[in-house]
Amino acid sequence: MAALFPVTARAETLRNCAPRDVVVERLAGGYGESRQSIGLGPQGAVMEVFASSATGTWTITVTSPSGVTCLIASGQSFEALHEVLPAEDSDA
């Protein structure tokens, strides 16, 4: 995931960024997406995945400590998975 964070500076340059509350409102109102997962990245960045179970759309965002959220990727056919790791003694 760390490889995604350098894209943030480029995304800001391309104007794919806005205050977090604006982005979250647009994802919810325009696409029916809600937060599905969250993770912390380098230098205090927060990565979030938003998705809609109704439409299958998804969006990955990164929010800087200053509160600016950038769209990193989006797509269709979102599916939540709950996979179990193989046992340690497994050859898988």
Side-chain angles (χ1 to χ4, degrees):
M1 272 195 286
L4 291 177
F5 294 102
V7 177
T8 302
R10 182 170 176 245
E12 287 180 6
T13 303
L14 297 174
R15 306 280 186 236
N16 291 327
C17 304
R20 186 179 181 282
D21 58 336
V22 172
V23 172
V24 171
E25 183 178 318
R26 175 137 330 162
L27 292 174
Y31 301 95
E33 295 181 8
S34 62
R35 187 168 59 183
Q36 304 296 311
S37 61
I38 187 170
L40 294 176
Q43 302 170 347
V46 177
M47 184 279 309
E48 297 171 288
V49 176
F50 292 83
S52 168
S53 59
T55 65
T57 62
W58 58 267
T59 305
I60 298 173
T61 66
V62 172
T63 302
S64 70
S66 68
V68 175
T69 298
C70 297
L71 302 178
I72 301 300
S74 62
Q76 299 176 3
S77 301
F78 178 81
E79 185 176 334
L81 301 175
H82 302 285
E83 296 181 348
V84 178
L85 290 174
E88 286 187 31
D89 61 342
S90 172
D91 288 338

